[in-house]
Amino acid sequence: MARRYSIAMDLRRYLGLYAVSPLGLAMSAASVAVGAAVGFAASPLAGVAACLVTEATAFAITTASGLGPKAAVAEGERRAWAEASERLEAVKRDRDRLATMRLPDDELGSLVRLAATRGASYLAASRNAKSRVPQAEEALSDCLSVADLYLKELDVASTERRHGLDDADPFADAKGRAKAALVDKAAIIEKATRDLSGGLSPADAMDIKERL
């Protein structure tokens, strides 16, 4: 598999990832040490040559053995997850804000809390699996937007009623549409969490445990 990765991976990317991987850094440090030793014993030019030869030899051996490609792939995965973790922090901020929202309608408020709870479960599953489902993150963001829009509509409608004005921008069936959107988005988040956790619902997981 490592050899397959080395062929499939772009050479420039492979070299870059290998160079900054723990293995690549260790080989570079060893090459510098060899070069320094030769430089002190012979001449600076001989030391530079020894360093380059050692580095090239180490690179060839680790690449041929598969250790180099494995190190590059691992480094690529580590960096990808570091970037994903930053994105998950933004998702967590959306989730935390959603959890603190208070809607005057009990039914919608309950759905918002459900979405926040499922968002927390998604984040936990994502970190555990070290994987993301962008659709779920978009759905969580949409829940926040829906709740915001609903609150703004209530605020505008209240202001217009207070001043005896007609609704200048009617939001027909605001509650019904908000409810449908929240239910739909919460289901997307739940499915993503289940997929990250192995594809089993809590009921299915319990059923399996009971059968064992």
Side-chain angles (χ1 to χ4, degrees), residues 12-28 55 59 68 71-79:
R12 182 178 298 178
R13 176 170 169 77
Y14 168 56
L15 290 172
L17 291 173
Y18 172 83
V20 297
S21 70
L23 176 64
L25 292 174
M27 293 298 101
S28 294
E55 181 75 30
F59 176 76
V73 169
E75 180 63 19
E77 291 175 346
R78 185 193 69 77
R79 291 180 170 235

Side-chain angles (χ1 to χ4, degrees), residues 168-185:
D169 187 19
F171 185 175
D173 191 22
K175 176 181 175 178
R177 292 166 67 183
K179 176 183 176 181
L182 289 170
V183 168
D184 178 62
K185 303 305 178 183

Side-chain angles (χ1 to χ4, degrees), residues 81-194:
W81 178 242
E83 294 177 5
S85 295
E86 292 181 6
R87 172 55 190 156
L88 288 177
E89 283 301 311
V91 175
K92 182 179 183 299
R93 288 193 291 271
D94 283 347
R95 183 267 160 197
D96 289 348
R97 186 182 165 205
L98 193 65
T100 60
M101 295 187 79
R102 295 294 178 264
L103 275 66
D105 184 274
D106 290 341
E107 187 175 16
L108 291 183
S110 177
L111 287 173
V112 165
R113 290 191 295 274
L114 174 64
T117 298
R118 289 184 176 176
S121 297
Y122 164 76
L123 286 168
S126 183
R127 291 193 174 100
N128 185 56
K130 287 195 173 182
S131 183
R132 292 173 50 221
V133 181
Q135 296 89 335
E137 296 166 11
E138 183 179 352
L140 187 63
S141 179
D142 287 344
C143 287
L144 187 58
S145 297
V146 168
D148 271 336
L149 285 172
Y150 181 74
L151 288 175
K152 287 177 182 177
E153 169 59 21
L154 292 182
D155 184 59
V156 170
S158 176
T159 299
E160 289 172 339
R161 283 196 304 271
R162 189 162 57 250
H163 293 284
L165 301 175
D166 293 331
D167 193 342
D169 187 19
F171 185 175
D173 191 22
K175 176 181 175 178
R177 292 166 67 183
K179 176 183 176 181
L182 289 170
V183 168
D184 178 62
K185 303 305 178 183
I188 292 174
I189 299 169
E190 181 186 33
K191 182 180 184 304
T193 303
R194 189 164 61 244

